[in-house]
């Protein structure tokens, strides 16, 4: 290439324009046969590291949501003197949040001591660090709360000790409900606070979706266990309506290439299938009185949508053009 070539002259023009204006609009110089391919990113390679999560993490999101919101339902049941419902809800919270969720999280980490290492520090700006502490605090409230509630329900200790057990159960269930709400929603904050374009673009929607799905799933499990009361039916209608609204919003609020993993790839179909199952399908089934089918539909939709969000993250993180497009949002 000589100094009188068109490309060299164009480079000089670009330099002068950049020096005067600080920015150069339009195209640069395409060198025919040059070594740099016309691909976005660094030679077409991913700009950010896609998530390496396997099947344990979407299940952890699913069971964590059920556990956390079961504690919330248990608190409401205890306030309105539905002792049997509160007991069953606390059992679900303890099993799903203290047994199943830590097992899934440890399986993903690979070694149990890695979970304990996460508790060596407290980083309030780290969603992952806060998640480990939230799960631990939830278990510290849910298990003693369940024990106190069972002892109070059996009335094994009459008198002042029984009143003390009732007070302790109420305080611990309140703590479990507070940390349970955080447990059900922090996972949406966790994936939204990343550089993955499809997650980051919907960082406001994700905590709402995860919390609503967890509440509806907890109510669905209780209904499948035989608790058919108007309050649970109302929760079912409410959460299905919110999920329907989120489905509509997700279809409207598009960010172009930033979240095309949701709208232009097969991974996005998992999210839409999940939202349809726990939104319009569950709503219609509940409206016509098919409560067990509505509960099953909501549970399946919540699980599928969580699998879908993890799959979308892997596709979106591997797309360098999506990363660049997400910087505008």
């Amino acid at each position: 290439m000589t100094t009188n070539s068109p490309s060299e002259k164009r480079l000089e023009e670009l330099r002068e324009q950049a020096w005067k204006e600080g920015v150069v609009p339009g195209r640069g110089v395409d060198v025919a046969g040059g070594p740099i391919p016309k691909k976005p990113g660094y030679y077409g390679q991913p700009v950010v590291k896609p998530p390496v999560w396997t099947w344990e993490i979407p299940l952890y999101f699913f069971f964590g949501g059920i556990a956390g919101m079961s504690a919330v339902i248990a608190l409401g049941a205890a306030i309105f003197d539905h002792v049997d419902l509160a007991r069953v809800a606390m059992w679900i919270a303890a099993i799903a949040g203290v047994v199943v969720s830590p097992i899934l999280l440890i399986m993903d980490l690979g070694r149990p001591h890695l979970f304990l290492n996460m508790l060596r520090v407290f980083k309030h700006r780290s969603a992952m660090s806060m998640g480990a502490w939230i799960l631990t605090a939830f278990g510290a409230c849910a298990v003693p709360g369940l024990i106190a509630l069972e002892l109070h329900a059996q009335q094994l200790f009459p008198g002042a000790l029984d009143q003390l057990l009732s007070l302790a159960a109420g305080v611990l269930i309140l703590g479990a409900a507070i940390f349970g709400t955080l447990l059900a929603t922090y996972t949406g904050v966790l994936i939204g606070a990343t550089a993955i374009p499809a997650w980051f673009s919907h960082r406001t929607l994700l905590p709402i979706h995860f919390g609503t799905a967890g509440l509806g799933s907890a109510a669905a499990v209780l209904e499948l266990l035989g608790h058919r009361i108007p309050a649970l039916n109302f929760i079912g209608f409410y959460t299905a309506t919110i999920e329907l609204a989120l489905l509509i919003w997700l279809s409207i609020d598009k960010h172009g290439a930033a979240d095309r993993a949701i709208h232009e790839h097969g991974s996005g179909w998992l999210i839409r299938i999940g939202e349809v199952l726990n939104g319009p399908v569950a709503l219609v089934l509940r409206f016509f009185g098919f409560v067990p089918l509505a509960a099953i539909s909501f549970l399946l939709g919540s699980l599928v949508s969580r699998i879908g969000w993890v799959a979308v993250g892997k596709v979106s993180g591997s797309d360098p053009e999506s990363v660049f497009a997400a910087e505008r949002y």
Side-chain angles (χ1 to χ4, degrees), residues 5 46 153 182 233 247 309 312:
S5 66
L182 297 175
N233 194 39
L247 173 62
W309 278 109
V312 159

Side-chain angles (χ1 to χ4, degrees), residues 255-303:
H255 299 92
D259 62 352
R260 63 183 178 189
I262 298 175
H263 303 286
E264 300 180 13
H265 289 268
S267 57
W269 278 103
L270 289 173
I271 295 176
R272 287 192 287 274
I273 290 172
E275 289 292 306
V276 168
L277 286 173
N278 62 9
V281 173
L283 194 62
V284 170
L285 289 172
R286 193 171 292 275
F287 180 79
F288 286 103
F290 300 109
V291 175
L293 293 178
I296 293 172
S297 177
F298 197 97
L299 285 169
L300 286 176
S302 298
L303 178 59

